[in-house]
């Protein structure tokens, strides 16, 4: 099973809302990632969790708050977003290396977020 | 600063012929390279990878070539099939660090 699942597939939220994106994998991977992808651009790394601990935060605004409740789950809590935060949010997982990110990363299908 | 570049935004190839997708990088510390394929409304799918200690890796119809002196890698797909039509991203990493993605090349295989 090389599947990473993400819910919801689509999300529309207002600038005052609070919502959460969810990601799950059952490959035994101990590194999980959040990426943001705008149209016609490559994915941009936001956060990396290694062994359920946040190891990389790429200077992401505090209105994005990640959480890794266990080795299979990764959440991204959203609050007071801006319209420019509208994008495809991708979750990925990989075997973890000590200190950071692993090699082949397996991606979920993404959540298409629209902030109005 | 884009450390991984794919200078061709699009490529069209006839079915059955070879598709060659190119990627250049600037960081000499990169030691692992990957190709991903992305269909619309889906996440990137891992295709093939190569370590910097090799210059070629093959998996079925897909072969990746690495030229470290030129800081260049390429993905060859042969024979190309209509189902290969997608956006292809190359990515690179240095040790345990983040993946850096190129901007993608849209491949269209014409039946």
């Amino acid at each position: 099973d090389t599947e990473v699942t993400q819910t919801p597939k689509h999300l529309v939220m207002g600038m005052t809302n609070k919502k959460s994106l969810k990601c799950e994998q059952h490959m035994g991977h101990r590194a999980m990632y959040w990426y943001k992808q705008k149209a016609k651009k490559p994915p941009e790394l936001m956060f990396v969790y290694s062994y359920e601990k946040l190891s990389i935060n790429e200077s992401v605004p505090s209105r994005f708050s990640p959480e890794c409740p266990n080795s299979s789950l990764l959440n991204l809590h959203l609050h007071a977003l801006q319209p420019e935060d509208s994008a495809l949010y991708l979750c990925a997982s990989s075997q973890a290396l000590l200190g950071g990110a692993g090699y082949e990363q397996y991606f979920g299908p993404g959540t298409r977020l629209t902030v109005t | 600063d884009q450390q991984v570049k794919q200078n061709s935004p699009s490529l069209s190839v006839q079915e059955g012929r070879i598709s060659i997708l190119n990627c250049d990088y600037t960081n000499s510390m990169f030691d692992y390279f990957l190709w991903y394929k992305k269909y619309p409304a889906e996440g990137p799918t891992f295709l093939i990878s190569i370590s910097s200690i090799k210059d070629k890796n093959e998996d079925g119809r897909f072969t990746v070539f690495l030229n470290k002196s030129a800081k260049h890698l390429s993905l060859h797909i042969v024979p190309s099939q209509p189902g290969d039509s997608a956006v292809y991203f190359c990515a690179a990493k240095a040790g345990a660090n983040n993946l850096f993605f190129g901007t993608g090349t849209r491949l269209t295989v014409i039946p």
Side-chain angles (χ1 to χ4, degrees):
Chain A
D1 180 11
T2 56
E3 192 179 24
V4 177
T5 59
Q6 289 187 244
T7 55
K9 286 181 89 83
H10 301 276
L11 179 62
V12 179
M13 60 186 289
M15 289 189 283
T16 58
N17 291 159
K18 281 187 182 180
K19 296 285 185 186
S20 296
L21 309 185
K22 297 186 183 303
C23 174
E24 190 167 2
Q25 57 88 16
H26 294 287
M27 294 178 275
H29 290 166
R30 301 307 294 274
M32 295 186 77
Y33 312 77
W34 280 115
Y35 287 85
K36 173 181 177 179
Q37 186 176 22
K38 302 279 262 183
K40 299 193 191 317
K41 298 281 189 185
E44 293 177 19
L45 184 69
M46 299 174 73
F47 302 104
V48 181
Y49 273 83
S50 182
Y51 294 92
E52 295 86 70
K53 289 190 180 0
L54 184 65
S55 63
I56 296 174
N57 176 341
E58 289 289 345
S59 303
V60 180
S62 60
R63 57 186 185 268
F64 295 92
S65 173
E67 179 198 17
C68 190
N70 61 52
S71 59
S72 300
L73 292 173
L74 184 67
N75 299 322
L76 185 64
H77 302 297
L78 314 172
H79 175 53
L81 295 193
Q82 304 296 311
E84 59 265 28
D85 296 321
S86 298
L88 180 69
Y89 287 83
L90 293 162
C91 171
S93 71
S94 74
Q95 298 291 340
L97 295 183
L98 287 174
Y103 285 107
E104 289 86 13
Q105 294 181 19
Y106 294 86
F107 285 81
T111 294
R112 174 74 58 190
L113 174 68
T114 304
V115 182
T116 60
Chain B
D1 180 30
Q2 192 73 25
Q3 297 189 51
V4 179
K5 297 177 187 177
Q6 293 175 257
N7 291 320
S8 298
S10 62
L11 174 69
S12 289
V13 169
Q14 208 71 32
E15 181 179 3
R17 307 294 291 269
I18 185 169
S19 295
I20 300 176
L21 296 106
N22 293 305
C23 179
D24 297 293
Y25 61 95
T26 56
N27 188 341
S28 58
M29 299 300 291
F30 286 147
D31 61 0
Y32 202 76
F33 304 88
L34 307 92
W35 283 96
Y36 285 86
K37 173 181 177 179
K38 187 178 186 302
Y39 293 116
E42 293 185 13
T45 302
F46 169 70
L47 260 183
I48 191 168
S49 60
I50 187 166
S51 163
S52 59
I53 62 172
K54 294 187 171 184
D55 54 20
K56 178 182 173 183
N57 189 25
E58 198 169 345
D59 184 2
R61 296 185 297 114
F62 301 92
T63 303
V64 56
F65 295 92
L66 176 62
N67 182 334
K68 283 197 299 275
S69 59
K71 294 194 179 68
H72 177 83
L73 67 154
S74 60
L75 175 68
H76 292 209
I77 307 173
V78 56
S80 301
Q81 299 172 354
D84 296 328
S85 297
V87 177
Y88 289 78
F89 289 97
C90 70
K93 66 197 314 290
N97 293 329
N98 311 340
L99 268 184
F100 290 87
F101 283 87
T103 48
T105 297
R106 180 175 300 280
L107 173 66
T108 303
V109 180
I110 304 161

